[in-house]
Amino acid sequence: MSNCNFPGSRCKAERSAIRRPSLKINAISNWMPLVCNAVIAFFLTPYLIKHLGDSDFGIYSLVGGFLGYYGLLRLGVGAAIMRYVPFCLGSNDLEGASENTSTGMVIYLLAGIFIFLICLITAEPLAKFYEGGPQFAFLIKIMGLAAAFECPMRIFDSCVRAHEKWVIANCVTVIVAVFRGIGFAGCIYLGYGLRSIGIVALGVTILALILAFFMYIFYCPKIHLRLKMVRFSRVRPLLSFGILTTVISLIWSMTLQGHKLLIGKLISVDAVTVYAVAAMIMYNVRALVIAPNRVFWPRFANLDGKDKHREIKSLFNRATRYNSIFASGIMLMVVVAGPVFVQLWVGEAYEGAYPVLKILAIGYLVETSLATSSCFLGGTGRQNISVIFAAVEGVLGFSLSLYLGLKLGLAGVACGFTLSVFLIRGLLCSLYICHLLGINYLSFYLTCFARPYFVLLILVFVSNWFRLGEVVNGWVSLIIMTFFLGCVYTGCSFFFTLNSNERAGIKEKMVGVFYYIKTLSKHQEKEFNRTYLNNKPTLSEQQFIKEN
């Protein structure tokens, strides 16, 4: 046990750090930034397009695209921090955790300086190439400086998340996103242009850095940033792990973009738009389903540091089962309500996206149900294995999409992706992890997937039998139908996919919530009566009120 030699909040922080945070609360909090960014983008994007115009908004989008590629220069060290810091904390190696964080900070500071220098060098040539003028060059420079400040902020943020303080980290992310949205909208409202948007972006990034620093001070009391704690021996594992994480992300992005390239060549450019509609929906649905899974990464790393392999096995089983239950419910809504959503969103001209959407939903169902697998492999330091599976899946998916696309068109391209996900992630990767953890392969599938998938199939069949999609004639009825489907699936899952102990636990919590609300309402009623009796008007005052 560490000695608390410092006063005040830092001492309290060290004591609170000993308590293990709730995975459920952390997982739910991961939806906060997702929902916040979606809402801001929904309202802000058309506002920016309307007031900036196509030209200036195009410049803004181009600069954002360039900085996205420059972000690869960070080399995924933030992900490496979320592997090695909780691992060191789990093995009680506080010095190792501080060395990893200090070394990671130096790497990111150098990366930030390098990104800013590249932006300075390339700003003028890119402005001339795209004929964007001085404001294009200025925006690249100012956004490059913002990206440089973002680098140390990401180390602080990763360190806080490595301590499983996801709620506060997500709250800070939401605050920064809201300030950025308000700042951008305010600049446009006041009549300013792209330059002011760049300055606001820089200011908000500095605010994010300050907030992340205070988060780190309060929630990471055992981790110390010291120049003398920078170790060259830590550089190689941090970079190798981070680069592998970046490669996995690139493979996944290239797989999705490769479909569009295939369709443009094999079918037509117009067909790319049809496929992109379905792909965009599934991309956002996937983000919704896998967002809670990120919390398992540092937990697996911490348990690995403690050599608690039995707990790792139990956590992997439970997380995968709950993932499959949740993913099945979401994919039910996609399959049943997806075609109607496409029709209301972009019109009946894109009905060719309906079968593509349903086929992709099957592939994403398998992929999101097994999202915990990636967290397990990364959290336990097997990122090299994860890269191999991702590469094989990408190559196989591209090959199958090429072959089936020639035979079946758009549906064939989607089938190629779905088959590759099922074969590699659904079968081979699961087989490897089951062998690693000593889990019976058949039992794993029956326990985690059989019941949720069966409920999904039955409800899809019933929905098609009653033709629920045909009763929808607008957004309101679509929302009502989707809510109805969610309620039916929740009820079926409660009685069919959960065991008796889980059902009893949910009932107990619901009773507790009901009792709390009832107690709170009684307390408020007593307070009201007490206040009313103490301040009850006299008879003469009541008569005066009545007359007036």
Side-chain angles (χ1 to χ4, degrees), residues 311-323:
E311 287 191 29
I312 291 176
K313 176 181 176 179
S314 174
L315 177 60
F316 177 78
N317 267 324
R318 285 186 288 114
T320 303
R321 190 162 70 89
Y322 292 148
N323 255 345

Side-chain angles (χ1 to χ4, degrees), residues 507-518:
K507 290 178 181 178
E508 184 179 348
K509 290 181 180 178
M510 292 178 65
V511 169
V513 171
F514 175 77
Y515 178 77
Y516 173 77
I517 295 173
K518 186 177 180 181

Side-chain angles (χ1 to χ4, degrees), residues 157-308:
D157 180 79
S158 297
C159 195
V160 171
R161 295 179 191 272
H163 283 73
E164 300 189 39
K165 304 297 181 181
W166 292 85
V167 176
I168 184 64
N170 287 326
C171 286
V172 168
T173 303
V174 168
I175 291 171
V176 171
V178 170
F179 270 96
R180 184 183 293 110
I182 293 174
F184 285 4
C187 288
I188 301 303
Y189 180 78
L190 295 174
Y192 299 110
L194 284 178
R195 291 175 180 267
S196 62
I197 286 180
I199 294 171
V200 168
L202 175 61
V204 171
T205 304
I206 294 174
L207 172 65
L209 175 60
I210 294 171
L211 293 176
F213 173 73
F214 282 108
M215 267 199 314
Y216 161 79
I217 289 295
F218 189 82
Y219 290 103
C220 308
K222 299 179 182 179
I223 308 298
H224 302 286
L225 283 175
R226 301 284 189 274
L227 188 60
K228 64 181 180 181
M229 302 193 80
V230 176
R231 298 287 184 270
F232 285 105
S233 60
R234 302 283 183 181
V235 173
R236 182 177 178 181
L238 286 173
L239 287 180
S240 60
F241 189 93
I243 290 172
L244 289 174
T245 304
T246 304
V247 169
I248 292 173
S249 300
L250 286 174
I251 291 173
W252 180 255
S253 298
M254 290 172 63
T255 300
L256 299 181
Q257 296 300 323
H259 294 165
K260 298 176 184 178
L261 298 176
L262 279 176
I263 293 167
K265 180 63 178 176
L266 298 178
I267 306 173
S268 68
V269 177
D270 293 341
V272 175
T273 305
V274 176
Y275 187 89
V277 169
M280 188 183 301
I281 294 172
M282 293 312 306
Y283 176 83
N284 288 285
V285 168
R286 176 184 182 270
L288 174 70
V289 178
I290 68 171
N293 283 273
R294 295 177 59 203
V295 303
F296 296 116
W297 185 299
R299 178 61 63 88
F300 279 127
N302 187 267
L303 293 174
D304 188 37
K306 295 178 179 178
D307 287 328
K308 293 187 175 181

Side-chain angles (χ1 to χ4, degrees), residues 31 282 284-286 288-289 323-337 361 365 368 456 482 486 489:
W31 281 321
M282 293 312 306
N284 288 285
V285 168
R286 176 184 182 270
L288 174 70
V289 178
N323 255 345
S324 65
I325 294 173
F326 180 60
S328 297
I330 297 298
M331 296 309 164
L332 168 67
M333 299 177 193
V334 171
V335 171
V336 176
L365 171 64
T368 53
L456 171 63
T482 305
Y489 178 80

Side-chain angles (χ1 to χ4, degrees), residues 300 312 316 371-382 433 436-437:
F300 279 127
I312 291 176
F316 177 78
T372 312
S373 301
S374 301
C375 298
F376 165 77
L377 293 173
T380 55
R382 296 178 174 87
I433 294 176
L436 203 63
L437 294 175

Side-chain angles (χ1 to χ4, degrees), residues 13-169:
E14 181 169 350
R15 288 197 300 269
S16 66
I18 298 173
R19 297 191 298 269
R20 179 176 288 182
S22 168
L23 279 175
K24 295 177 183 177
I25 296 175
N26 282 340
I28 293 172
S29 74
N30 272 357
W31 281 321
M32 291 165 49
L34 196 67
V35 173
C36 178
N37 287 325
V39 172
I40 291 174
F42 181 81
F43 290 103
L44 185 62
T45 301
Y47 185 76
L48 291 178
I49 294 174
K50 180 180 178 180
H51 290 83
L52 285 177
D54 292 340
S55 178
D56 282 357
F57 187 80
I59 290 174
Y60 170 75
S61 301
L62 270 176
V63 172
F66 286 130
L67 290 174
Y69 286 113
Y70 292 160
L72 296 174
L73 296 173
R74 298 190 187 103
L75 303 176
V77 174
I81 292 294
M82 289 181 60
R83 153 62 185 165
Y84 289 109
V85 168
F87 178 83
C88 291
L89 292 176
S91 57
N92 203 28
D93 182 12
L94 302 182
E95 184 177 351
S98 297
E99 288 177 357
N100 278 304
T101 306
S102 300
T103 306
M105 178 60 78
V106 170
I107 294 173
Y108 261 30
L109 287 174
L110 295 174
I113 294 171
F114 189 56
I115 290 172
F116 179 57
L117 290 176
I118 289 180
C119 289
L120 286 178
I121 295 170
T122 60
E124 298 296 338
L126 287 173
K128 291 180 181 178
F129 182 79
Y130 288 100
E131 299 180 356
Q135 66 176 356
F136 190 102
F138 176 82
L139 195 61
I140 288 180
K141 294 174 184 177
I142 198 73
M143 296 290 277
L145 183 59
F149 277 105
E150 187 181 351
C151 288
M153 182 274 292
R154 286 181 175 269
I155 292 293
F156 292 134
D157 180 79
S158 297
C159 195
V160 171
R161 295 179 191 272
H163 283 73
E164 300 189 39
K165 304 297 181 181
W166 292 85
V167 176
I168 184 64

